[in-house]
Amino acid sequence: MPPYRLQVLLDIRTKAEDEAKEAFAQAVKAAEKEKKQLATMNQRLEQMKVERKAKIQAFLEEMTQKGGGISGFQQMGRFEQRLKDEEAQFMLEIERQKEVVVQAEKLVEQRRVEMAEAAKEKKAIEKNKEAWTKQVRAERMKKEELNQEEIGAVLHLARTRAEKKS
């Protein structure tokens, strides 16, 4: 069988498909990592809120035991506000992380499209190769049939001549 004339292109398409699959897998892995980090950050925020309530409660109990007055309550208010500010700052970091997750998911979708396109291009070349292979086989079979008919005709002619001589 003669070599397939588009084999180099098929090899290129196969390599492109493999690279697209790898890029997709890496994008999925990165997106999962970012989602996991977001979940961890959300858990940390909840933990900060619980800690804030516990710290305020402990501060309040300490104040009531010491008999702190208005200034004690003002200190507690400033302390609570500082803790809330830390939480608000952390919430901003969570919002930034949400954007990172959205971007990672967009990249995953883009890689999925690229992978599908690469697979489609490879499939087209493979179908062309299958059609070419069928055509080559059909031509070969036709040549073999013609050769067989020619051999048969030559043998028949040879027998006919041999019969006439005898």
Side-chain angles (χ1 to χ4, degrees):
M1 181 179 288
Y4 180 55
R5 59 186 164 76
L6 297 177
Q7 185 62 44
V8 173
L9 183 60
L10 178 60
D11 294 342
I12 291 170
R13 295 288 190 241
T14 301
K15 184 179 178 186
E17 182 186 35
D18 293 343
E19 289 172 355
K21 285 178 182 178
E22 180 63 29
F24 174 72
Q26 288 176 354
V28 167
K29 194 175 186 180
E32 289 301 317
K33 179 183 173 189
E34 298 299 342
K35 286 178 185 177
K36 192 179 284 187
Q37 185 174 353
L38 179 61
T40 301
M41 290 174 83
N42 281 326
Q43 289 174 347
R44 176 69 182 124
L45 178 63
E46 292 303 314
Q47 184 181 2
M48 287 173 76
K49 288 178 180 180
V50 169
E51 287 175 359
R52 174 178 45 93
K53 290 177 183 177
K55 286 177 182 179
I56 296 300
Q57 186 62 36
F59 194 88
L60 184 60
E61 288 175 8
E62 183 180 326
M63 260 186 28
T64 54
Q65 287 177 355
K66 290 182 179 179
I70 298 287
S71 65
F73 280 106
Q74 288 174 343
Q75 281 181 338
M76 185 181 77
R78 287 191 300 270
F79 180 65
E80 183 176 15
Q81 188 59 44
R82 186 176 57 82
L83 292 175
K84 285 182 179 180
D85 289 344
E86 287 175 9
E87 289 173 15
Q89 184 65 34
F90 196 69
M91 287 168 67
L92 290 174
E93 290 178 31
I94 288 175
E95 289 303 314
R96 283 192 287 268
Q97 183 63 25
K98 285 180 182 178
E99 282 300 313
V100 170
V101 168
V102 167
Q103 292 301 320
E105 288 174 345
K106 285 180 182 178
L107 182 62
V108 166
E109 189 55 35
Q110 178 185 347
R111 295 293 188 243
R112 182 187 328 271
V113 169
E114 290 170 1
M115 184 176 67
E117 185 64 28
K120 187 170 80 172
E121 289 175 359
K122 179 185 171 197
K123 187 75 172 170
I125 297 295
E126 286 175 339
K127 283 190 174 201
N128 178 275
K129 185 176 181 177
E130 287 174 18
W132 174 82
T133 303
K134 277 185 179 180
Q135 181 182 357
V136 168
R137 284 186 184 144
E139 288 172 2
R140 182 182 293 158
M141 293 290 285
K142 192 172 186 178
K143 283 181 184 178
E144 286 179 16
E145 286 176 13
L146 287 174
N147 286 341
Q148 291 295 333
E149 285 179 17
E150 192 175 312
I151 291 170
V154 168
L155 289 175
H156 177 69
L157 186 59
R159 276 191 224 133
T160 308
R161 285 185 182 162
E163 289 176 4
K164 286 183 181 178
K165 285 185 181 178
S166 22

